[in-house]
Amino acid sequence: MKRKTTIRKNRERRELTVERNVAMPAQLAWEGWTELKHITKWWGPKGWTTTVYEMDVRPGGVWRYSLKAVDNSGEEAYCRAVYEEVEAPHKLVYTDTFADSEWNVVSDSEMYTTVLFEEKSEGTRISIVTRFATNEQMDNAEAMGMIEGFTDAYDRLEEYLETLMGGNETMETVISKDGTQIAYTKQGTGPALIMVSSAAADHQDASPLGERLSANFTVYNYDRRGRGRSTDTAPYEAAREVEDIEALLAAAGGQAYLFGSSSGAVLALEAANLLGDSVAKLYLYEPPFIINDSRKPVPRDYVEHLNSLVEAGKRSEAVEYFASEALGIPGEYIGYMKADPSWNKMESLAHTLAYDGVIMGTTQSGNPLPSDRWNIAIPTLIMTGENSEPLFHDAARALADLLPKADTHSLAGQDHSAVMMSPDVVAKAVVDFER
């Protein structure tokens, strides 16, 4: 891994730059660098452990931590940093200093540090730029092993974040029209089928279903942009996600079936509508249209409010807002959801929740579906869970009435979670329809 690290020294500016291109989205790299639950897993050289005493990532906030060798050799090193600029997920500026065990700053140890996260088609370029008071201090830092320490930290960061993105699972990539890298897995034999995930989900969530379907299809299971190992490119437009599917269709030989779940089903609809003969068949599980008074509509400013929460760093609040307003989950149940490990994963994907809100558009406003939005004449199966809320059954029937070759099918004993919780049942319905 060390050969991927670029080192630059500028003696005129007294700057040392240690740079690495990492195969992960900028948002995930940023979270790895700025969230307490992540930073202790990788920060520091190999063979050292990090203890964080305080981490307040905002201008004026303080980060206090210590580094200690696992074999207890040497002394524990205490450091105190003060954040000056925090521009998520692109720029982090802080002044780092050494300290004693009482957190008194060691004189003349200031290191003005800028960390840049630059989105690239192949992932993210992370640059650690450290400016010293004198060239002598820069030379001393290099002699003490700063370059090796940062290089080790990059290695550890990549290894740790890979576990969050599915470990060492092999994924292939395609490049979308705007340069975004889309990562996917491919398995099975038979007609090509591309799986489009729902909100707050990545390819891992649909993997069990993909494995079942791979007995009858060549399954392309991908991370939508901004999720997992796929990168992202601002500004967001739903049309860019259709282009992502278009790139996957090209990788699949130019034509494929689409399977979409929840809001991913609506994205699959959009792709089929815009990409013509490239999409040969649609499998849709519970598109979450709200077309009547079966439940309250999503607020008109839903997307704007989600974006404001994420921009303010309130990722948990964004997930809670999504759960209550888009999923319609009563407040008394959200506390239980927060206690589940899946909540942390949804937080990591919070910046993409607004994407699905854009895709849904006005179809969750309580009004009938627009009769002219989708001109699709390919075989389509719209599935619902028998135990799901009435809105999903109403939505399925309304959509089937608009599409000339659509059938509906209810899965006995299932609800909105069937794709993840009952992949065998969903796979059987798809295979039966195919036959």
Side-chain angles (χ1 to χ4, degrees):
M1 284 190 176
K2 293 187 178 182
R3 67 180 181 276
K4 297 189 295 184
T5 304
T6 301
I7 311 299
R8 294 195 302 274
K9 288 190 290 184
N10 186 323
R11 299 192 70 80
E12 182 178 349
R13 292 180 55 84
R14 305 179 306 282
E15 285 183 349
L16 176 66
T17 299
V18 184
E19 194 170 79
R20 170 80 68 91
N21 290 334
V22 295
M24 63 190 66
Q27 181 65 44
L28 185 59
W30 170 270
E31 291 168 13
W33 210 285
T34 59
E35 294 186 11
L36 177 60
K37 63 185 178 183
H38 297 315
I39 196 79
T40 56
K41 302 294 197 307
W42 66 271
W43 181 249
K46 291 178 181 177
W48 291 67
T49 59
T50 300
T51 301
V52 175
Y53 301 87
E54 179 181 9
M55 193 173 193
D56 184 9
V57 187
R58 60 177 175 172
V62 175
W63 176 22
R64 293 185 297 123
Y65 64 94
S66 67
L67 295 166
K68 187 176 183 179
V70 174
D71 61 6
N72 290 318
S73 62
E75 296 183 2
E76 189 167 4
Y78 293 86
C79 301
R80 183 181 187 275
V82 178
Y83 295 103
E84 299 185 21
E85 295 180 44
V86 179
E87 300 176 12
H90 305 297
K91 185 178 182 181
L92 192 64
V93 179
Y94 55 88
T95 300
D96 203 2
T97 57
F98 290 110
D100 61 24
S101 59
E102 301 298 323
W103 302 110
N104 298 305
V105 172
V106 175
S107 61
D108 298 326
S109 66
E110 295 84 1
M111 294 170 285
Y112 187 78
T113 305
T114 300
V115 188
L116 302 173
F117 304 82
E118 185 179 359
E119 196 90 56
K120 297 291 184 180
S121 61
E122 70 279 5
T124 302
R125 177 182 297 160
I126 306 177
S127 303
I128 310 172
V129 184
T130 306
R131 191 167 76 238
F132 299 86
T134 66
N135 277 313
E136 182 181 8
Q137 287 184 1
M138 181 170 68
D139 294 338
N140 289 339
E142 183 178 357
M144 291 173 61
M146 175 176 277
I147 292 174
E148 291 80 1
F150 279 156
T151 301
D152 282 353
Y154 275 136
D155 290 347
R156 297 178 67 191
L157 173 65
E158 286 193 275
E159 291 165 4
Y160 170 64
L161 293 186
E162 276 183 358
T163 67
L164 300 183
M165 299 189 300
N168 294 318
E169 178 183 30
T170 300
M171 297 189 76
E172 301 178 52
T173 59
V174 293
I175 304 300
S176 196
K177 284 183 178 179
D178 68 348
T180 301
Q181 178 177 276
I182 303 300
Y184 67 95
T185 62
K186 177 184 175 182
Q187 60 180 328
T189 57
L193 183 148
I194 297 170
M195 303 183 69
V196 187
S197 63
S198 62
D202 59 18
H203 85 279
Q204 295 180 64
D205 297 291
S207 288
L209 175 59
E211 290 173 5
R212 271 71 169 184
L213 290 172
S214 66
N216 299 87
F217 302 92
T218 302
V219 178
Y220 293 77
N221 184 12
Y222 76 104
D223 283 329
R224 287 172 55 188
R225 59 175 51 210
R227 311 181 189 193
R229 299 192 194 181
S230 292
T231 62
D232 204 357
T233 304
Y236 177 80
E237 292 183 28
R240 303 291 82 76
E241 290 220 60
V242 173
E243 291 170 357
D244 300 343
I245 293 174
E246 185 177 19
L248 289 162
L249 286 164
Q255 188 180 66
Y257 304 160
L258 300 183
F259 175 98
S261 172
S262 194
S263 52
V266 183
L267 175 55
L269 267 175
E270 292 296 314
N273 188 58
L274 294 172
L275 300 178
D277 294 340
S278 295
V279 180
K281 197 172 294 186
L282 278 175
Y283 294 97
L284 309 176
Y285 190 78
E286 295 199 342
F289 301 129
I290 302 174
I291 60 172
N292 51 35
D293 59 0
S294 58
R295 60 149 283 188
K296 70 174 184 177
V298 170
R300 289 186 178 181
D301 64 345
Y302 171 74
V303 170
E304 291 77 9
H305 190 62
L306 268 178
N307 281 328
S308 67
L309 289 172
V310 172
E311 289 168 4
K314 299 178 179 179
R315 302 179 73 84
S316 183
E317 290 91 333
V319 176
E320 185 172 347
Y321 184 68
F322 159 73
S324 63
E325 299 300 332
L327 300 183
I329 296 173
E332 58 267 27
Y333 293 108
I334 291 179
Y336 296 105
M337 293 177 62
K338 287 184 175 181
D340 190 271
S342 63
W343 190 267
N344 287 336
K345 180 171 183 179
M346 288 194 290
E347 280 190 31
S348 72
L349 300 174
H351 59 288
T352 67
L353 292 174
Y355 297 179
D356 290 76
V358 172
I359 290 165
M360 296 306 300
T362 60
T363 62
Q364 294 184 308
S365 62
N367 298 314
L369 290 176
S371 60
D372 58 352
R373 179 166 172 176
W374 302 292
N375 181 23
I376 299 171
I378 57 176
T380 302
L381 177 64
I382 308 168
M383 294 166 279
T384 55
E386 177 188 28
N387 298 333
S388 293
E389 298 173 69
L391 78 95
F392 295 112
H393 299 279
D394 295 342
R397 286 190 291 268
L399 181 61
D401 287 342
L402 295 176
L403 306 181
K405 293 187 178 180
D407 290 331
T408 60
H409 180 59
S410 178
L411 306 185
Q414 302 304 315
D415 57 25
H416 197 58
S417 66
V419 168
M420 291 180 60
M421 303 304 294
S422 300
D424 291 324
V425 176
V426 178
K428 184 178 185 303
V430 172
V431 172
D432 287 347
F433 185 77
E434 178 68 8
R435 289 171 177 166

